[in-house]
Amino acid sequence: MPLDKHDVAEHFARQFHQPPRWIVRAPGRVNLIGEHTDYNDGFVLPLAIDRAIWIGLRPRDDRRVVIHSVDYGEVQEFSLDDLTNGKEGWVEYLKGTSWSLQEAGHKLSGWEGVLVGDVPLGAGLASSAALEMATARAMGAVSGFDWQPAEMAKLGQRAENQWVGVNCGIMDQLVSAAGRAGHALLIDCRSLEIQPVPFPEGVAVVVLDTSTRRGLVDSQYNQRRAQCAAAAEFFNVKALRDVDLDLFQQLASDLDDTVQRRALHVVTENDRTLQAVEAMRRGETCALGVLMYKSHVSLRDDYEVSSEALNAMVEVARTHPACFGARMTGAGFGGCAVALIEARAADDFVQHTAAAYQQQTGHAPAIYACQATDGAQVVQGDD
Ligand code: GLA
């Protein structure tokens, strides 16, 4: 069962012997389609899920932030007047978000509280973005500023880029900030315009965690970004978002082979994402599933960010009759795949896929259906 506000209140009461003044949550995400397109000003279609980071908190009289992490069994604290980068550890996400909020002119107040989550770490479900958005929501509650999802997402991304030092795009923070229950979000990563797209009836989203975690994700990720930037320069456009298949086919033969394949993925993936939205709106789940499989092949062969474990998981999922489509989700190289399945066959699908994957790879996976939820919110206390 996912965590809920009662669990958070209990953890808070154990530390502070009274109920929390506020409880906030910010969800992780899975991305249905539109992978490695966000930093190309392109389109993505993620959903916020019922796995989240939670903070229970009360105000302090001074400008200190004191947090008990239930999962790490650890207390960390810092002063809002003296933010210094400690380089490592979960508290850097809270410090970095506080830093970017203050840089943007928000007046922050001190607080103390408990932090607890059930977004698995490093699995490609955006646990860092969830932690940044939970911090921003907590800061907003105690300091009394409004929740503007796009602004908060950009400040979370800034914290991650400049404080933590990971060069991510905007997708994870924005869906964690702005998710909508029962919907995926079509996000235009250039304008940051968001269109919620409802799930068709009878369809379930399943997270398939391969239980593999890869190092080198950051360096590979940065290399892909650099290749995309080089391709955009070659096509003489601001970002690969501005290249369609016609333009690509006219000019691409003069591009270096690797960069050509990277660009082909981005160009086709943007197109698939917009087609996926149309399919979803028309309730054409089979068509949506086919686009997901195609996305996986493109990520595997052209963008080269998949892994043996992810490929095995997608192939195994595909053999189940209730599966409409499956693909790796997130940055890649390990972590999770996502599948779209017929909801009434969910239990059978989970059992079948878990057993077949384990038999084939020797890894014990974690496979579970998830719900599309609202984005970061104040669950208890004044907003
Ligand atoms: C990570 C990044 C996102 C996005 C995905 C790939 O999750 O944080 O910004 O680039 O990888 O689609």
Side-chain angles (χ1 to χ4, degrees):
M1 280 298 283
L3 284 166
D4 65 21
K5 66 176 183 178
H6 305 291
D7 302 317
V8 184
E10 232 171 74
H11 287 298
F12 187 92
R14 217 167 286 151
Q15 288 298 335
F16 299 101
H17 311 291
Q18 62 167 195
R21 171 81 184 276
W22 295 278
I23 296 178
V24 301
R25 78 175 265 283
R29 63 102 187 88
V30 283
N31 188 16
L32 274 191
I33 195 162
E35 213 65 84
H36 288 278
T37 47
D38 63 348
Y39 52 82
N40 290 297
D41 280 4
F43 300 98
V44 294
L45 189 61
L47 53 139
I49 58 174
D50 50 351
R51 296 281 182 131
I53 305 279
W54 297 75
I55 298 175
L57 68 150
R58 69 180 181 191
R60 281 174 67 98
D61 296 336
D62 59 12
R63 298 211 351 114
R64 296 194 74 73
V65 175
V66 181
I67 322 110
H68 298 249
S69 162
V70 174
D71 304 313
Y72 287 93
E74 210 174 272
V75 190
Q76 294 275 356
E77 58 177 291
F78 57 89
S79 162
L80 292 166
D81 294 321
D82 178 26
L83 288 167
T84 47
N85 197 322
K87 300 287 180 242
E88 259 177 38
W90 55 269
V91 75
E92 295 308 321
Y93 293 90
L94 288 103
K95 283 156 73 178
T97 306
S98 308
W99 166 79
S100 67
L101 284 164
Q102 293 195 138
E103 286 280 297
H106 292 289
K107 302 261 172 292
L108 304 184
S109 311
W111 52 271
E112 56 199 6
V114 295
L115 172 71
V116 56
D118 56 7
V119 190
L121 302 179
L125 298 181
S127 54
S128 332
L131 181 49
E132 289 148 12
M133 291 304 94
T135 305
R137 225 39 275 214
M139 287 294 184
V142 73
S143 315
F145 58 81
D146 282 349
W147 186 251
Q148 306 285 351
E151 189 210 352
M152 292 300 139
K154 281 196 261 182
L155 293 177
Q157 183 195 17
R158 184 168 181 208
E160 181 122 3
N161 292 167
Q162 296 181 25
W163 190 276
V164 179
V166 174
N167 206 13
C168 63
I170 191 72
M171 167 171 71
D172 301 349
Q173 286 81 6
L174 193 48
V175 65
S176 180
R180 171 94 76 92
H183 294 69
L185 302 186
L186 170 64
I187 302 175
D188 176 335
C189 297
R190 174 166 280 168
S191 66
L192 301 191
E193 190 203 331
I194 296 174
Q195 292 179 39
V197 187
F199 274 94
E201 284 287 302
V203 168
V205 176
V206 174
V207 171
L208 307 123
D209 189 337
T210 60
S211 303
T212 59
R213 307 283 183 263
R214 287 291 148 85
L216 294 181
V217 179
D218 290 353
S219 63
Q220 291 285 339
Y221 187 88
N222 289 341
Q223 193 194 54
R224 296 302 181 282
R225 285 194 73 143
Q227 289 164 333
C228 289
E233 198 174 317
F234 169 86
F235 288 107
N236 201 18
V237 292
K238 183 162 173 276
L240 283 179
R241 146 74 173 272
D242 302 308
V243 178
D244 62 14
L245 202 53
D246 278 350
L247 181 62
F248 178 86
Q249 277 161 350
Q250 275 169 37
L251 302 179
S253 56
D254 287 342
L255 257 179
D256 161 87
D257 176 62
T258 305
V259 176
Q260 201 179 120
R261 282 183 294 118
R262 304 298 189 246
L264 180 61
H265 164 72
V266 175
V267 170
T268 56
E269 184 78 351
N270 275 327
D271 195 44
R272 279 188 290 271
T273 304
L274 295 176
Q275 285 186 46
V277 170
E278 287 313 305
M280 226 168 131
R281 287 199 172 122
R282 288 196 297 259
E284 291 171 2
T285 317
C286 292
L288 175 58
V290 169
L291 291 161
M292 291 172 73
Y293 286 132
K294 286 188 173 161
S295 166
H296 184 77
V297 169
S298 177
L299 288 157
R300 185 189 70 195
D301 298 346
D302 289 336
Y303 217 64
E304 295 182 286
V305 292
S306 190
S307 69
E308 267 178 38
L310 284 165
N311 296 339
M313 188 65 99
V314 168
E315 287 311 316
V316 157
R318 193 179 191 145
T319 61
H320 194 280
C323 186
F324 295 109
R327 54 183 288 282
M328 55 153 278
T329 188
F333 303 103
C336 291
V338 56
L340 207 60
I341 63 156
E342 245 175 275
R344 59 193 167 82
D347 291 344
D348 191 63
F349 174 82
V350 168
Q351 275 172 27
H352 158 90
T353 313
Y357 172 81
Q358 182 153 7
Q359 197 199 12
Q360 202 170 313
T361 63
H363 301 297
I367 302 183
Y368 44 90
C370 63
Q371 304 294 326
T373 68
D374 284 333
Q377 60 199 139
V378 178
V379 177
Q380 178 178 306
D382 315 332
D383 198 335

